[in-house]
Amino acid sequence: MAAPEGGGLGEDARLDQETAQWLRWDKNFLTLEAVKRLIAEGNKEELGKCFGARMEFGTAGLRAAMGPGISRMNDLTIIQTTQGFCRYLEKQFSDLKQKGIVISFDARAHPSSGGSSRRFARLAATTFISQGIPVYLFSDITPTPFVVEALKPLEWRLRPLLCLKNFLAQPSRRWNEKALRKLLTFLIRKCILEF
């Protein structure tokens, strides 16, 4: 039987550790207050849903409900994920800081947590910019086909830029040269990171 996550801590101790860390790091008043309220109510069931497991990349990208906690899409998880994604891209593309990344967003929003695709796109853009990576951020809700068309004039500047729709194609295995070329061709056609 595998040891519980968190270095052998019991579930309650791990949950307490995760929520304490969240309270230190979260800067969004709405999600911060939601977690404080759940703690004050002693609502372990809902806290368990919010902090049960960190989101993971799947075949459709990074997907979860918007709300507080490491299991949900929110300001803190977007910033943390973007920081990791930035490190990955820097290792893959030596000219990332010259080429940049393109980001767009859709209309999804979750008013009670303050989360929205627009907000997440701006947070991701800020994270990339803070690392010296140029960002082409669409200013309004933009369907994917429009983004692809709008990027055609920029395509020469963006090669071999890796911009992923919903962090979709993060490789989980080593890519051989042929597979990487195919992936890049597909991504250059898409050339988008979407929320």
Side-chain angles (χ1 to χ4, degrees):
M1 182 172 188
E5 216 177 283
L9 295 175
E11 186 59 30
D12 284 348
R14 189 197 64 77
L15 189 59
D16 290 345
Q17 185 179 15
E18 290 285 353
T19 56
Q21 188 175 59
W22 182 269
L23 295 173
R24 284 192 309 272
W25 291 352
D26 189 17
K27 302 301 178 205
N28 179 318
F29 177 78
L30 295 172
T31 51
L32 184 63
E33 289 302 310
V35 171
K36 286 179 180 178
R37 188 178 57 252
L38 291 172
I39 292 169
E41 294 168 354
N43 191 339
K44 295 279 188 184
E45 182 179 341
E46 191 59 32
L47 283 168
K49 290 177 185 175
C50 294
F51 294 94
R54 187 166 283 280
M55 293 179 294
E56 294 182 7
F57 283 96
T59 55
L62 192 62
R63 299 273 193 230
M66 290 184 201
I70 62 172
S71 300
R72 310 269 171 87
M73 299 285 280
N74 52 64
D75 292 3
L76 186 56
T77 57
I78 291 296
I79 291 167
Q80 290 174 333
T81 301
T82 304
Q83 288 170 337
F85 188 53
C86 185
R87 296 290 81 79
Y88 170 79
L89 292 175
E90 287 175 327
K91 289 178 184 174
Q92 299 301 312
F93 301 97
S94 60
D95 60 352
L96 181 66
K97 290 187 178 183
Q98 288 76 45
K99 302 288 185 172
I101 188 162
V102 176
I103 302 175
S104 77
F105 54 91
D106 60 26
R108 287 173 287 178
H110 188 256
S112 66
S113 71
S116 71
S117 294
R118 180 186 302 265
R119 180 177 178 89
F120 296 161
R122 289 179 176 165
L123 288 168
T126 301
T127 303
F128 279 112
I129 291 168
S130 75
Q131 299 303 306
I133 298 169
V135 173
Y136 300 89
L137 174 63
F138 279 79
S139 60
D140 207 355
I141 296 166
T142 310
T144 301
F146 287 37
V147 176
V148 173
E149 284 300 312
L151 292 175
K152 284 182 181 175
L154 288 176
E155 192 171 339
W156 67 272
R157 277 189 74 192
L158 300 173
R159 288 182 191 269
L161 174 66
L162 179 62
C163 296
L164 307 180
K165 183 176 193 255
N166 296 319
F167 300 110
L168 178 64
Q170 180 183 10
S172 59
R173 60 182 170 81
R174 297 198 96 154
W175 290 86
N176 64 36
E177 200 61 37
K178 183 178 177 184
L180 189 56
R181 270 197 310 276
K182 282 183 179 179
L183 175 63
L184 285 174
T185 302
F186 168 76
L187 293 171
I188 287 167
R189 295 235 186 280
K190 285 293 196 189
C191 208
I192 176 174
L193 169 63
E194 244 186 9
F195 290 94

